[in-house]
Amino acid sequence: MQDNFSANFANLSHLDSQGQAQMVDVSQKTPTLRQAVAAAQVRMLPTTLAAIQAGNTPKGDVLGTARIAGIMAAKQTANLIPMCHPLPLQKVEVQIMADEQLPGYQIQATVKTKAETGVEMEALTAVSVAALTLYDMAKALEKSMQIESIRLISKTGGKSGDYFPSEA
């Protein structure tokens, strides 16, 4: 039984031969330029969107605070996600754009490094925390806001190659 168990987990890099979680050893990998872009959206009532756009919110600068929170979160990813490697991030950019059709905000994070492993989790963490912060800053206006569609948009670099999903 143990042999089947070991065989089933042999190709899963985050599990050892007993099926226990482990941090992947990247010490033999060559650092390469890597970039990831992630996105999320926060859906809200048109009146909430208008209040945020007008700067008429009880907690102050909603978008600026959410942007900074996203940047800070990307830098803390290894402290939040158990098997993530701490990485030297060279770029973290968080953009928050109003979308009246949603209505709400589209959030996008771009993270770049030159390292042995990728920055997908850092980009995903950035948009997640930016969305949560936007919610927190505006919840006095509306508690029914919805954080939606957190996803990886693209990644470049590394052994697995580039990833650009089709827009279907």
Side-chain angles (χ1 to χ4, degrees), residues 39-43 102 105-107 131 146-149 151:
Q41 61 189 35
V42 181
R43 186 181 303 270
L102 192 53
Y105 286 92
Q106 300 289 343
I107 302 170
Q146 298 175 28
I147 296 170
E148 302 174 339
S149 195
R151 63 206 180 278

Side-chain angles (χ1 to χ4, degrees), residues 107-130:
I107 302 170
Q108 184 170 300
T110 303
V111 181
K112 188 185 284 189
T113 191
K114 185 172 186 182
E116 297 83 3
T117 190
V119 288
E120 298 96 284
M121 293 308 299
E122 287 74 8
L124 288 162
T125 300
V127 297
S128 299
V129 171

